[in-house]
């Protein structure tokens, strides 16, 4: 399940066959007789706790209220979702901002309509018994990471901000799907992962409490997952894009409690994690929705300064070769207004 996190680089354009809507989305009729636009949304991976608001929004007819018949599709990693969205194989995508930045850097015609996870869930995850409670506790440790992904690229920046040399910590190159097993087996002291993802699964599998050393709590924050659209649909159907942004924001605002939100995911996927894991994943996700600049605002409201900070981080990490203006990545005209 955890092979979802992207490898960024000069990767051929491999499209995900996930949607048939594209820019020719058909229409359906609701039970009340309202005309709805059939819209496809491709996720960053198979459904897990973070995605609960989309299913809750469907269940509560929030998308229908905005004239949308939403079809949520599983993805195969943020990078592929970015590519498929740009190519019109899906109307909208849900993907990690680093994948969006790298895609635009390579000429992929896609833009963000708003990042919803504005505090990064990036973290070092370990069992409590390992005693990794502060950055200094990483010295002499072995941590599982995946070469080339956003976590491994930003980890050196995290270490530098906390006065730790890269040579003080060994990062063991591990396939994304094998990181949890490496920690459980004791081959590594922890892993680089997302607090809203791997940790709850690792805790459930091992029946041991997991600790999180979050990047955001130790001097390094950047944007994570958000809604995106290809420039073709933005040009042809800007009004649909605006309705989609509004519906997604309303769905996230309505999904305040993990219980009802997670219950709406029942049957979403054969690979759906256990309910306890989903609940913890979503509870953690709810802590990631804002930065200081957007606290108290609707989910999905972004600021240019937060975008610039994210671009700067990934330029420093070497994942964006030619940093562009914020407007090249974020469609502020379509996005929610603060």
């Amino acid at each position: 399940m955890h092979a979802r996190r992207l490898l960024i680089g000069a990767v051929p354009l491999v499209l995900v066959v996930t949607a048939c809507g594209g820019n020719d989305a058909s229409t359906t009729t609701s039970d009340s007789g309202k005309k709805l636009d059939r819209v496809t949304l491709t996720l960053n991976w198979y459904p897990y706790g973070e995605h609960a608001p989309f299913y809750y929004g469907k269940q509560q007819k929030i998308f229908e209220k905005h004239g949308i018949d939403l079809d949520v599709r599983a993805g195969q990693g943020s990078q592929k979702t970015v590519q498929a969205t740009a190519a019109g194989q899906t109307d909208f995508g849900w993907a990690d901002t680093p994948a969006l930045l790298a895609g635009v850097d390579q000429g992929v015609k896609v833009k963000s309509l708003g990042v919803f996870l504005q505090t990064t869930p990036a973290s070092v995850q370990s069992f409590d018994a390992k005693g990794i409670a502060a950055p200094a506790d990483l010295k002499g440790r072995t941590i599982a990471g995946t070469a080339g992904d956003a976590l491994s690229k930003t980890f050196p920046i995290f270490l530098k901000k906390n006065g730790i040399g890269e040579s003080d910590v060994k990062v063991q190159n591990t396939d994304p799907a094998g990181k949890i097993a490496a920690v459980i087996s004791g081959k590594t002291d922890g892993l680089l992962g997302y607090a809203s993802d791997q940790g709850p699964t690792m805790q459930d599998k091992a029946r041991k409490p997991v600790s999180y050393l979050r990047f955001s709590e130790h001097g390094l924050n950047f944007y994570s997952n958000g809604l995106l659209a290809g420039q073709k649909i933005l040009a042809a159907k800007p009004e649909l894009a605006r309705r989609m942004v509004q519906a997604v924001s309303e769905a996230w605002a309505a999904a305040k409690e993990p219980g009802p939100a997670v219950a709406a995911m029942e049957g979403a996927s054969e690979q759906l994690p256990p309910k306890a894991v989903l609940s913890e994943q979503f509870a953690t996700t709810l802590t990631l929705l804002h930065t200081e600049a957007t606290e108290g605002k609707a989910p999905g409201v972004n600021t240019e300064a937060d975008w610039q900070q994210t671009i700067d981080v990934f330029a420093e990490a070497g994942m964006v070769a030619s940093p562009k203006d914020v407007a090249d990545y974020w469609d502020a005209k379509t996005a929610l207004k603060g």
Side-chain angles (χ1 to χ4, degrees), residues 130-182:
K130 289 291 183 178
I132 302 176
D137 297 327
L138 291 170
K139 292 183 178 180
R141 307 286 188 147
T142 299
I143 305 298
T146 300
D149 73 358
L151 286 159
S152 292
K153 288 285 191 179
T154 53
F155 189 49
I157 301 175
F158 169 76
L159 293 176
K160 182 179 178 181
K161 284 184 176 291
N162 289 280
I164 302 169
E166 286 188 54
S167 61
D168 291 332
V169 185
K170 180 183 178 181
V171 178
Q172 183 169 304
N173 187 25
T174 309
D175 180 85
K179 289 196 288 188
I180 289 177

Side-chain angles (χ1 to χ4, degrees), residues 247-283:
V248 171
S249 180
E250 190 173 327
W252 277 80
K256 297 177 181 178
E257 298 294 333
V262 166
M265 297 187 74
E266 186 173 353
S269 169
E270 293 181 357
Q271 301 188 46
L272 205 64
K275 280 191 176 179
V277 173
L278 288 171
S279 294
E280 188 173 348
Q281 287 174 333
F282 184 55

Side-chain angles (χ1 to χ4, degrees), residues 1 43 45-51 55 72-75 265 268-269 271-273 278 281:
M1 173 178 176
L43 303 174
W45 196 248
Y46 295 100
Y48 59 101
E50 175 186 305
H51 305 131
Y55 296 92
V72 183
R73 306 287 182 86
M265 297 187 74
S269 169
Q271 301 188 46
L272 205 64
L278 288 171
Q281 287 174 333

Side-chain angles (χ1 to χ4, degrees), residues 315-338:
E316 181 180 351
M319 297 177 72
V320 177
S322 303
K324 298 173 175 58
D325 293 336
V326 170
D328 289 300
Y329 304 104
W330 175 46
D331 192 333
K333 300 189 297 296
T334 306
L336 293 168
K337 304 299 185 283

Side-chain angles (χ1 to χ4, degrees), residues 85-132:
T85 305
Q89 289 194 329
T90 181
D91 297 310
F92 299 96
W94 179 260
D96 208 16
T97 301
L100 172 78
L101 298 180
V104 173
D105 198 42
Q106 296 171 13
V108 178
K109 303 298 183 182
V110 66
K111 281 192 174 186
S112 172
L113 302 183
V115 175
F116 283 72
L117 306 193
Q118 298 172 19
T119 295
T120 178
S123 55
V124 178
Q125 303 173 21
S126 59
F127 293 124
D128 286 5
K130 289 291 183 178
I132 302 176

Side-chain angles (χ1 to χ4, degrees), residues 41-71:
L41 171 70
T42 298
L43 303 174
N44 53 319
W45 196 248
Y46 295 100
Y48 59 101
E50 175 186 305
H51 305 131
F54 299 115
Y55 296 92
Y56 187 72
K58 284 189 65 174
Q59 182 191 72
Q60 299 298 311
K61 299 187 183 302
I62 292 171
F63 289 95
E64 183 177 313
K65 169 187 166 184
H66 290 273
I68 293 171
D69 178 6
L70 184 66
D71 181 11

